[in-house]
C-alpha cells in the first residue's frame, strides 16, 4: 500500500470535485449494493427506501421470526442449506443488479432477488420451526 497506493484506491478519488457535474457511473461500495439494487428496482422512491430499510430491519427481527432458534430443528439439513443458498444468491443477484441500470433483465433479476431475500425471512424461518407444533394439541 505504501509503494503503490493506486492498486487499492479508486482513481476517481484523485479527480478534483466539480459540484456542477454528477458522474453517470456512480455506484456505492460492494456492501451497500444489494440495498442500492432494492432501491432502484421499485418504481417510486419511498417504496424503494422502505424495502431496503426493511431488509436491514428484518435482520434485527430474526430472533422473533425463527421460533426454533436454539432448539432441535425438524427441517431437513438439505432444505435449510438450500434456503441459505437461495438467500445468498438473492443478495448477490440484487447486488449485481445494483451495479447496472434498472432496465429489462436487470430489473427482473433485482425483483426476483428481493422476493428471495424476503421469502427466506418471512416464509422459511417462521415455517421451519413449526413443523411439529400442531400435532401436540
Amino acid at each position: 500500500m505504501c509503494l503503490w497506493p493506486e492498486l487499492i484506491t479508486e482513481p476517481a478519488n484523485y479527480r478534483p470535485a466539480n459540484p456542477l457535474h454528477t458522474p453517470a457511473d456512480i455506484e456505492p461500495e460492494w456492501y451497500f449494493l444489494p440495498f442500492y439494487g432494492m432501491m432502484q428496482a421499485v418504481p417510486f422512491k419511498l417504496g424503494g427506501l422502505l424495502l431496503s430499510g426493511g431488509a436491514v430491519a428484518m435482520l434485527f427481527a430474526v430472533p422473533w421470526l425463527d421460533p426454533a432458534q436454539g432448539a432441535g430443528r425438524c427441517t431437513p439439513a438439505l432444505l435449510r442449506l438450500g434456503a441459505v443458498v437461495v438467500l445468498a444468491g438473492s443478495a448477490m443477484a440484487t447486488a449485481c443488479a445494483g451495479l447496472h441500470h434498472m432496465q429489462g433483465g436487470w430489473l427482473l433479476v433485482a425483483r426476483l432477488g428481493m422476493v428471495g431475500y424476503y421469502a427466506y425471512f418471512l416464509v422459511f424461518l417462521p415455517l421451519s420451526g413449526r413443523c411439529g407444533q400442531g400435532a401436540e394439541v
Side-chain angles (χ1 to χ4, degrees):
M1 182 67 189
C2 293
L3 298 176
W4 296 293
E6 305 86 37
L7 289 176
I8 297 176
T9 59
E10 303 242 355
N13 291 338
Y14 296 110
R15 281 188 260 150
N18 183 359
L20 301 176
H21 175 69
T22 302
D25 58 345
I26 192 168
E27 64 186 36
E29 292 293 330
W30 65 270
Y31 40 85
F32 289 127
L33 278 175
F35 308 110
Y36 184 65
M38 287 180 189
M39 284 196 301
Q40 283 186 330
V42 179
F44 59 102
K45 291 181 182 180
L46 180 62
L49 182 65
L50 290 176
L51 275 176
S52 63
V56 175
M58 190 90 51
L59 298 174
F60 292 104
V62 167
W64 295 281
L65 292 173
D66 190 8
Q69 181 186 21
R73 296 215 181 246
C74 55
T75 309
L78 193 59
L79 184 63
R80 287 194 313 252
L81 178 66
V84 170
V85 166
V86 167
L87 174 68
S90 298
M92 287 193 310
T94 309
C96 288
L99 283 173
H100 299 86
H101 294 290
M102 287 294 156
Q103 298 172 358
W106 289 114
L107 182 62
L108 180 64
V109 166
R111 289 182 177 171
L112 288 175
M114 281 192 305
V115 167
Y117 184 88
Y118 276 101
Y120 177 81
F121 290 108
L122 296 177
V123 176
F124 177 74
L125 280 184
L127 292 180
S128 68
R130 302 182 196 270
C131 60
Q133 291 178 357
E136 298 175 6
V137 176

